[in-house]
């Protein structure tokens, strides 16, 4: 058991030792290629066995079987069937290794996915193909895109200190912008993550504000909220260093898809006189942010169902950031528009 | 403008007519991706644009514009039984591993709703309403897999459970068992709105002209032309670009009773039709070998085509899914259009 839990490299290192003749003798039997034919004769596959009769499947009752076994005091051997993974990771050479995260026995196992979101299906069947058609750029046959080499400038001059110096920073900003690759069916922008962030500076005086904010974020996002402290004193914003001021949830995969769908189908259409997401939104690398006010938060169905449980004055507003694969604002906006989020005002391209 | 661009442009100008206007435009465009390029590469070695010999008079093809008018899927697809079983298994695992449901946050203590909740929980043993009778905690929490023949993973069964949960108060099953029925006042509940059927009337009747058929699939508009072939709507280009041609063809074939949107300015596919050699000899223009149709993608939002006043000589239309299109059209036509139709 312990040997099987070890990583492959360690197991092979054990087998390589020549000082242990017993293990060395067992080596050819463990090698996969040597005895695969022999294994076939010994082990029988479940595919070769004919399925049980219909009556056997109907009569099979695992619960009563287990109860009967317990009555007879013949429990299953605990070492194999009641496996508890180690609480602490003790390094790759320790004989007791934790199972992978995807194993339900693991301590960090997260169940899911639970459904195939409707938005995901719409994206696969309709939106992705339309975006590809809309952003298609034709190149004549034989065209090869010019290679993009070093994008940063080097230090040129006579100074001996220029030797081996890091490259000069980009012009105009402190970081390089993302490159936009030519559009193919492999890099159509998609929604990858959603972050909901609620800033509650009132929580510095009364922590109940932060609890309410956390509960609301959890309710609408299905993800545990994390809290943040203020990093600096900012007098204008009434922030004091080291005090808890905000809560965040990060959603991915199924949660993110469900959240965006809920937002588009339920919440945003019910906001009165909502103009849309400001066109100035977007950070240039595919993320779009917009805000909701406290009274708009009450429109989420999860909040509406027990609105009385939240103190009305403590319900926070929030910022919602929708992260996409796109590498510029234009593509990200095109995706969100296709999904159903309107934009207004001057566009930030 | 960088070296690679200049090389390409020079090649294009030397070739002359072999590169279309759109290509030349794309070559002369200075995009973000190429703006930062700095490396000098000898592209002339790689660039291979075949030379074109000019012979007079040139054999050519007529150009036609076509419209691939489609209605996207309206509802989610049916899950494969394995997918459904997997999702149910994961949800039962979740009942076992997630934090317990915070009841008093949602239901007030000692209220009628609380009593009802307790009754229902006693019956199904778990807060989730659509995963069947399953207990997530205790000695038998391991028993989270359904047996052969169980219908808990069936979508319709789960919908029924949710509807039943909304309609009933948990006392109904007791009275059925023959237990003491309370003589208290009967609470009348509003009937819950049932989800609409996933199979429509048009499906059962086999109405190929309805847009309400096959809600899970993409439907494409096929029309019957003068020769009696089923094709996508198409017509000769008339000194116009493909996008406006697509809009015109839609208007001239199906009338103005359709709310449509032509997606983008580029075609999604093409079909080349060669005239038969004997008809080529008899034709007044023997240098025209056939025609090429370029299909523009379009979506229909509402409406239906009306062929009574169409100017393209169409006699009939159908809304078909991909595999039905294959049966309706000719073989060579299918070979050239099949890759622009979506699977779902």
């Amino acid at each position: 058991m312990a040997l099987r839990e070890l990583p492959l490299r360690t197991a092979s290192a054990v087998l390589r030792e020549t000082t242990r003749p017993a293990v060395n003798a067992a080596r050819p039997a463990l090698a996969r290629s040597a005895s695969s034919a022999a294994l076939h004769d010994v082990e029988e596959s479940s595919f070769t066995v004919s399925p049980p009769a219909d009556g056997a499947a109907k009569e099979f009752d695992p619960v009563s079987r287990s109860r009967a076994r317990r009555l007879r005091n013949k429990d299953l051997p605990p070492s194999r069937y009641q496996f508890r993974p180690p609480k602490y990771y003790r390094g790759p050479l320790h004989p007791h290794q934790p199972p992978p995260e995807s194993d339900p026995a693991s301590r960090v196992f997260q169940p899911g996915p639970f459904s195939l979101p409707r938005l995901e299906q719409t994206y696969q069947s309709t939106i992705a193909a339309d975006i590809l058609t809309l952003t298609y750029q034709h190149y004549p046959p034989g065209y090869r895109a010019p290679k993009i080499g070093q994008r940063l400038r080097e230090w040129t001059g006579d100074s001996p200190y220029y030797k081996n110096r890091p490259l000069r920073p980009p012009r105009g900003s402190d970081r390089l912008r993302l490159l936009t690759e030519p559009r193919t069916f492999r890099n159509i922008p998609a929604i990858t993550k959603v972050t909901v962030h609620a800033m509650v500076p009132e929580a510095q005086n009364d922590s109940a504000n932060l609890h309410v904010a956390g509960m609301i974020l959890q309710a609408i996002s299905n993800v545990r909220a994390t809290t943040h402290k203020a990093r600096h004193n900012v007098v204008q914003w009434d922030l004091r260093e080291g005090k808890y001021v905000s809560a965040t949830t990060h959603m991915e995969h199924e949660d993110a898809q469900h959240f965006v769908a809920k937002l588009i189908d339920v919440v945003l259409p019910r906001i009165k006189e909502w103009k849309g997401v400001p066109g100035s939104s977007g950070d240039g690398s595919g993320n779009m942010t917009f805000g909701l006010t406290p009274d708009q938060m009450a429109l989420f169905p999860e909040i509406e169902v027990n609105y009385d449980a939240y103190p009305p004055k403590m319900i926070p507003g929030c910022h919602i950031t929708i992260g996409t694969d796109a590498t510029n604002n234009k593509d990200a906006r095109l995706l969100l528009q296709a999904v159903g989020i309107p934009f207004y005002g001057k566009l930030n391209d | 403008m960088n070296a690679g661009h200049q090389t390409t442009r020079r090649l294009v100008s030397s070739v002359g007519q072999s590169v279309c206007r759109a290509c030349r435009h794309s070559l002369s465009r200075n995009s973000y991706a190429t703006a930062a390029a700095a490396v000098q590469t000898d592209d002339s070695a790689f660039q291979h644009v075949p030379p074109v010999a000019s012979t007079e008079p040139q054999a050519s093809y007529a150009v036609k514009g076509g419209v691939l008018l489609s209605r996207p899927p309206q509802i989610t697809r049916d899950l494969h039984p394995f997918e459904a079983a997997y999702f149910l298994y994961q949800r039962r695992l979740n009942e076992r591993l997630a934090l317990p449901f915070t009841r008093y946050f949602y239901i007030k203590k000692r209220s009628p709703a609380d009593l009802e909740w307790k009754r229902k929980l006693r019956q199904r043993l778990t807060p989730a309403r659509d995963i069947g009778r399953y207990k997530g905690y205790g000695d038998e929490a391991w028993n989270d897999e359904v047996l052969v023949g169980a219908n808990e993973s069936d979508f319709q069964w789960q919908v029924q459970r949710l509807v039943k949960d909304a309609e009933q108060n948990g006392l109904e099953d007791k009275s059925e068992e023959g237990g003491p029925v309370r003589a208290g006042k009967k609470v009348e509940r509003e009937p819950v709105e049932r989800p609409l059927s996933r199979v429509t009337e048009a499906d059962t009747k086999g109405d190929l002209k309805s847009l309400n058929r096959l809600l899970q699939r993409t439907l494409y508009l096929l029309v019957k032309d003068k020769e009696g072939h089923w094709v996508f709507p198409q017509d000769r280009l008339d000194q116009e670009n493909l996008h406006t041609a697509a809009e015109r063809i839609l208007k001239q074939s199906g009338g103005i009773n359709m709310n449509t949107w032509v997606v983008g300015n580029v075609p999604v596919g093409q079909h080349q039709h060669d005239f038969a050699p004997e008809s080529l000899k008899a034709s007044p223009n023997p240098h025209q070998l056939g025609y090429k149709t370029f299909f523009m993608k379009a979506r229909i939002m509402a409406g239906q085509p009306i062929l009574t006043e169409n100017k393209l000589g169409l006699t009939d239309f159908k809304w078909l899914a991909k595999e039905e299109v294959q049966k309706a059209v000719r073989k060579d036509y299918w070979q050239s259009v099949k890759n622009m139709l979506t699977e779902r």
Side-chain angles (χ1 to χ4, degrees):
Chain A
M1 182 75 193
L3 190 66
R4 207 175 54 195
E5 296 283 331
L6 279 173
L8 192 66
R9 212 181 331 147
T10 328
S12 62
V14 170
L15 293 180
R16 233 181 288 124
E17 283 183 30
T18 48
T19 50
R20 300 166 75 183
V23 175
N24 213 17
R27 200 170 165 190
L30 288 175
R32 187 179 287 177
S33 57
S35 59
S36 59
L39 266 180
H40 260 290
D41 296 338
V42 179
E43 282 189 16
E44 56 180 25
S45 163
S46 62
F47 289 110
T48 58
V49 179
S50 58
D54 276 355
K58 270 176 196 160
E59 284 164 18
F60 181 64
D61 186 0
V63 178
S64 61
R65 263 176 64 139
S66 137
R67 279 181 193 155
R69 195 168 47 222
R70 262 187 234 154
L71 278 181
R72 279 181 279 123
N73 245 347
K74 280 194 172 179
D75 226 339
L76 293 172
S79 62
R80 290 171 69 182
Y81 293 96
Q82 295 181 355
F83 174 66
R84 191 96 169 115
K87 199 163 188 180
Y88 305 108
Y89 181 60
R90 293 166 202 275
L93 294 178
H94 196 272
H96 204 178
Q97 291 287 319
E101 275 183 34
S102 55
D103 188 346
S106 165
R107 285 172 188 268
V108 286
F109 173 73
Q110 294 272 347
F114 308 114
S115 64
L116 191 58
R118 184 191 157 93
L119 181 63
E120 177 66 28
Q121 294 190 30
T122 311
Y123 176 81
Q124 297 291 354
S125 69
T126 312
I127 296 173
D130 280 359
I131 288 182
L132 185 59
T133 310
L134 281 170
T135 57
Y136 178 77
Q137 175 67 52
H138 180 70
Y139 293 104
Y143 172 79
R144 283 178 59 133
K147 258 190 195 154
I148 294 171
Q150 179 55 257
R151 294 167 70 201
L152 292 177
R153 296 165 295 164
E154 284 177 355
W155 296 91
T156 47
D158 300 332
S159 170
Y161 293 107
Y162 287 167
K163 284 270 186 296
N164 296 327
R165 219 181 207 193
L167 296 170
R168 294 176 67 186
R171 288 192 178 94
S173 75
D174 57 344
R175 64 196 64 193
L176 274 177
R177 290 202 302 190
L178 293 176
L179 283 179
T180 300
E181 300 267 312
R183 175 76 62 238
T184 66
F185 71 99
R186 288 179 186 281
N187 60 9
I188 304 171
I191 293 175
T192 52
K193 58 180 187 272
V194 178
T195 302
V196 186
H197 176 85
M199 181 82 185
V200 272
E202 303 85 33
Q204 296 172 114
N205 302 322
D206 181 7
S207 72
N209 286 286
L210 199 64
H211 292 290
V212 172
M215 287 303 282
I216 282 187
L217 292 194
Q218 269 172 221
I220 65 176
S221 69
N222 191 26
V223 176
R224 197 87 172 149
T226 52
T227 49
H228 308 286
K229 293 172 186 172
R231 285 189 295 180
H232 306 289
N233 278 316
V234 184
V235 179
Q236 297 92 325
W237 298 345
D238 192 24
L239 293 186
R240 275 164 285 151
E241 192 180 337
K243 293 275 189 182
Y244 282 102
V245 285
S246 70
T248 310
T249 55
H250 295 284
M251 286 163 273
E252 281 188 337
H253 307 299
E254 196 192 2
D255 285 331
Q257 301 283 340
H258 280 311
F259 182 81
V260 175
K262 190 164 64 192
L263 206 63
I264 290 162
D265 295 335
V266 182
V267 180
L268 299 182
R270 289 165 69 192
I271 300 177
K272 280 180 189 159
E273 296 181 5
W274 188 61
K275 285 194 285 184
V277 175
S280 58
S281 173
D283 64 351
S285 47
N287 305 315
M288 288 276 165
T289 306
F290 58 97
L292 293 181
T293 58
D295 53 324
Q296 291 166 356
M297 294 287 280
L299 299 175
F300 276 96
E302 292 89 351
I303 311 265
E304 207 178 22
V305 71
N306 64 339
Y307 182 71
D308 301 339
Y310 304 98
K313 284 184 182 169
M314 290 190 186
I315 293 181
C318 72
H319 277 118
I320 297 170
T321 303
I322 300 181
T324 66
D325 276 353
T327 47
N328 54 46
N329 286 334
K330 217 173 180 175
D331 289 346
R333 196 178 305 115
L334 183 66
L335 171 68
L336 294 193
Q337 281 174 333
V339 165
I341 297 180
F343 286 82
Y344 77 93
K346 193 163 181 291
L347 299 179
N348 167 21
D349 279 328
Chain B
M1 185 71 48
N2 54 56
H5 256 138
Q6 282 165 357
T7 321
T8 324
R9 290 186 87 203
R10 201 188 62 234
L11 276 168
V12 167
S13 58
S14 68
V15 163
Q17 288 304 309
S18 78
V19 175
C20 70
R21 202 178 54 179
C23 302
R24 211 176 305 153
H25 176 70
S26 76
L27 285 172
S28 62
R29 246 175 55 149
N30 211 352
S31 66
Y32 289 122
T34 53
V39 174
Q40 169 93 29
T41 52
D42 187 17
D43 274 48
S44 53
F46 304 116
Q47 299 278 0
H48 176 68
V49 181
V52 177
S54 63
T55 51
E56 291 291 335
Q58 215 170 3
S60 66
Y61 285 85
V63 178
K64 282 189 173 188
V67 189
L68 182 70
L69 186 62
S70 60
R71 187 224 59 185
Q74 304 291 297
I75 59 175
T76 54
R77 68 175 166 87
D78 285 332
L79 291 180
H80 187 271
F82 180 77
E83 284 176 307
Y86 174 77
F87 289 144
L88 178 75
Y89 173 67
Q90 291 292 335
R91 281 154 93 183
R92 287 192 162 191
L93 262 184
N94 188 46
E95 282 311 287
R96 178 142 69 91
L97 297 172
L99 288 174
F101 176 62
T102 48
R103 190 167 102 210
Y104 299 127
F105 188 60
Y106 291 96
I107 302 162
K108 224 175 183 179
K109 241 181 197 177
R110 285 188 290 279
S111 64
D114 191 30
L115 293 176
E116 184 186 324
W117 170 264
K118 281 186 197 163
R119 274 198 304 267
K120 284 181 175 171
L121 199 69
R122 234 174 282 137
Q123 288 166 16
R124 62 177 187 233
L125 303 179
T126 183
R129 291 164 297 177
D130 52 350
I131 61 170
R133 196 176 154 84
Y134 167 69
K135 199 171 179 198
Y137 302 103
D139 281 346
E140 275 148 23
W142 52 265
N143 183 29
D144 53 10
E145 289 179 49
V146 289
L147 299 177
V148 175
N151 49 7
E152 271 91 342
S153 63
D154 183 28
F155 176 75
Q156 290 301 336
W157 185 88
Q158 294 174 355
V159 170
Q160 272 177 16
R161 298 304 301 183
L162 289 177
V163 170
K164 210 172 156 192
D165 180 80
E167 277 181 344
Q168 299 184 347
N169 57 6
L171 283 171
E172 285 83 355
D173 292 346
K174 257 185 201 168
S175 56
E176 279 170 17
E177 284 165 13
V181 183
R182 283 190 199 163
K185 58 188 171 184
K186 185 105 175 167
V187 183
E188 278 298 318
R189 294 205 167 200
E190 276 183 38
V192 178
E193 197 181 348
R194 310 281 163 140
L196 292 176
S197 169
R198 292 166 68 83
V199 179
T200 58
E201 198 187 339
D203 283 329
T204 51
K205 283 185 181 170
D207 181 7
L208 297 181
K209 295 196 173 188
S210 170
L211 269 175
N212 282 336
R213 66 185 297 263
L214 292 183
L215 294 181
Q216 304 180 24
R217 302 293 309 276
T218 306
L219 294 182
Y220 297 98
L221 175 68
L222 244 72
V223 292
K224 202 176 194 178
D225 63 4
K226 283 175 218 160
E227 288 93 48
H229 299 308
W230 285 101
V231 290
F232 298 115
Q234 60 181 32
D235 192 22
R236 286 288 289 262
L237 282 191
D238 181 24
Q239 297 295 320
E240 59 195 340
N241 60 32
L242 279 171
H243 188 95
T244 45
E247 285 172 346
R248 174 181 64 80
I249 291 165
L250 278 179
K251 210 176 284 172
Q252 290 185 350
S253 59
I256 54 169
N257 188 31
M258 291 190 293
N259 184 4
T260 55
W261 171 51
V262 179
V263 185
N265 293 323
V266 291
V268 291
Q270 68 113 5
H271 169 64
Q272 175 176 328
H273 180 79
D274 295 310
F275 293 138
E278 53 269 22
S279 70
L280 207 58
K281 278 173 202 159
S283 81
N285 183 6
H287 296 302
Q288 187 185 320
L289 303 176
Y291 57 80
K292 290 182 180 178
T293 313
F294 292 89
F295 294 102
M296 297 293 290
K297 188 175 185 174
R299 299 277 189 200
I300 183 165
M301 264 72 80
Q304 270 287 15
I306 297 174
L307 297 186
T308 47
E309 290 179 4
N310 80 81
K311 290 166 185 159
L312 306 180
L314 311 176
T315 52
D316 200 3
F317 76 92
K318 284 196 277 193
W319 289 101
L320 299 181
K322 182 172 182 175
E323 63 270 2
E324 296 166 337
V325 171
Q326 182 181 12
K327 285 171 199 155
V329 302
R330 283 161 309 165
K331 205 171 180 186
D332 61 325
Y333 196 75
W334 170 250
Q335 285 303 326
S336 40
V337 302
K338 66 177 179 185
N339 285 338
M340 61 183 186
L341 312 181
T342 50
E343 282 302 318
R344 210 191 127 216

